[in-house]
Amino acid sequence: MFIKKLLSGLINVVFIIFFIIFFITPKEKRKFIIFLFIITYFFSTPIGSNVAIYPLEKDYLNQYFLYYSLITNPEKTITMYKDVDKIIVLAGGINDNKELSKDSMSRVITAIIIYKSLKETYNKTPEIIILGGDINKDNQTAKQMKLLIEKFEKAKILEDNESLDTYQNILNLKKIIKKTDKILVITSAFHMKRTKITFYNIFDEEFIKYNVIFVPCCFRYKLYFNIYDLIPSFTHLSITDLAIREMIGILYYRIYLKLKINKNK
């Protein structure tokens, strides 16, 4: 059974291309092809994607079980959020069919669970703010997320369709909230590092310390393994790709924000 699944994992477009290139490449140059094959195979497995995503999610793995506890037993977990005035949800994009991405869906579901639990446990109904527009997607992400929330809860929801990236998200947020607001910020675990970098650049450190709670969701890091995790898949290769793109994004933000600070001096 395992061998059958392993072979079915190997026999896909990417690895077929590797095999073709391998056989048409001169023998003296095949070592490089073998090296690329091994690297691609490794990062197409859960073990490899874990290696890629770990630097982004490692600081939040202590909240991994808290996140799932929030989903399975929200009444016990919600206590730490009882003073929240506003729930901030960073949009995670939509596909070409204008359907919410996995990240957008996970973030908005987390917001719904927290809102519903606060309402039922403390009779509290914080405002929900959805941050994020789209490039060439008619600014549908925030609208779709709002519609999904409204299917479950009659909450006060504010959309920000103007911001097109994390920096603009947080910059626009600062214009919306009050200095006395206690806010809860929801985004995917892999995206939390960039979110925090941006928050600390735009908001005062004291405000963040006492008024902001960061809630990561949609973890990609896998805690447990079995023999089937040796089987490659596009799912885990896409997680590796996601991690690489996010690291490039963080590097860009660090350079951009540093230049911006130096320019303002």
Side-chain angles (χ1 to χ4, degrees):
M1 187 70 173
F2 170 73
I3 299 298
K4 182 180 178 181
K5 289 194 174 185
L6 178 61
L7 289 174
S8 66
L10 287 171
I11 302 174
N12 58 44
V13 177
V14 174
F15 291 105
I16 287 174
I17 291 172
F18 266 115
F19 285 127
I20 293 172
I21 293 173
F22 177 81
F23 286 111
I24 65 174
T25 302
K27 287 184 178 181
E28 62 273 13
K29 296 181 180 180
R30 286 181 178 176
K31 287 183 179 179
F32 181 66
I33 302 300
I34 294 172
F35 172 76
L36 287 180
F37 175 84
I38 293 171
I39 292 296
T40 305
Y41 166 79
F42 176 74
F43 284 107
S44 299
T45 65
I47 299 170
S49 63
N50 257 17
V51 171
I53 206 73
Y54 179 75
L56 298 171
E57 296 192 352
K58 65 182 177 71
D59 294 335
Y60 317 108
L61 290 179
N62 62 331
Q63 297 183 54
Y64 194 106
F65 293 108
L66 179 64
Y67 168 63
Y68 287 104
S69 174
L70 177 64
I71 295 173
T72 58
N73 198 351
E75 292 78 13
K76 288 187 177 180
T77 313
I78 204 66
T79 307
M80 63 185 71
Y81 307 141
K82 64 181 181 179
D83 296 324
V84 167
D85 300 303
K86 290 179 172 62
I87 298 173
I88 316 301
V89 188
L90 274 68
I94 56 174
N95 59 29
D96 293 331
N97 296 322
K98 294 184 179 179
E99 297 171 337
L100 293 177
S101 68
K102 175 183 176 180
D103 288 284
S104 288
M105 188 69 73
S106 178
R107 297 173 194 184
V108 78
I109 289 174
T110 303
I112 291 170
I113 292 171
I114 291 174
Y115 180 91
K116 183 178 178 65
S117 299
L118 284 172
K119 185 176 74 172
E120 292 179 353
T121 308
Y122 297 104
N123 195 29
K124 190 164 188 177
T125 54
E127 180 182 13
I128 298 175
I129 302 174
I130 304 172
L131 301 175
D134 305 283
I135 300 174
N136 302 323
K137 294 277 180 69
D138 301 324
N139 292 330
Q140 285 292 315
T141 306
K143 292 177 183 177
Q144 293 289 341
M145 293 173 80
K146 180 181 178 182
L147 287 173
L148 182 57
I149 294 172
E150 289 176 339
K151 286 182 180 179
F152 295 92
E153 296 292 339
K154 294 181 180 179
K156 181 181 178 183
I157 305 171
L158 177 65
E159 300 172 61
D160 165 38
N161 292 314
E162 302 301 322
S163 55
L164 300 177
D165 57 31
T166 305
Y167 183 80
Q168 291 180 14
N169 285 342
I170 312 307
L171 198 61
N172 287 353
L173 177 64
K174 190 174 184 180
K175 300 173 185 176
I176 298 170
I177 64 173
K178 303 173 184 176
K179 291 183 178 180
T180 55
D181 281 337
K182 292 191 180 294
I183 64 174
L184 185 148
V185 180
I186 301 171
T187 191
S188 302
F190 82 89
H191 185 248
M192 188 59 78
K193 187 182 288 287
R194 183 165 20 157
T195 302
K196 280 191 170 184
I197 289 170
T198 311
F199 256 91
Y200 277 96
N201 179 264
I202 294 174
F203 285 93
D204 295 332
E205 190 171 337
E206 187 174 348
F207 175 81
I208 296 172
K209 183 178 180 180
Y210 295 106
N211 295 66
V212 182
I213 300 173
F214 294 100
V215 179
C217 64
C218 199
F219 287 84
R220 261 75 174 194
Y221 189 84
K222 188 172 182 180
L223 293 179
Y224 305 105
F225 296 98
N226 56 55
I227 193 167
Y228 292 104
D229 290 325
L230 295 173
I231 299 171
S233 72
F234 279 115
T235 299
H236 294 288
L237 188 60
S238 67
I239 292 174
T240 299
D241 174 67
L242 177 72
I244 292 171
R245 287 188 285 111
E246 184 63 19
M247 288 176 191
I248 293 171
I250 289 172
L251 178 61
Y252 168 79
Y253 266 56
R254 288 189 185 278
I255 295 171
Y256 172 77
L257 294 174
K258 189 171 184 179
L259 291 174
K260 191 175 180 67
I261 291 170
N262 290 337
K263 186 178 179 180
N264 292 334
K265 285 183 179 180

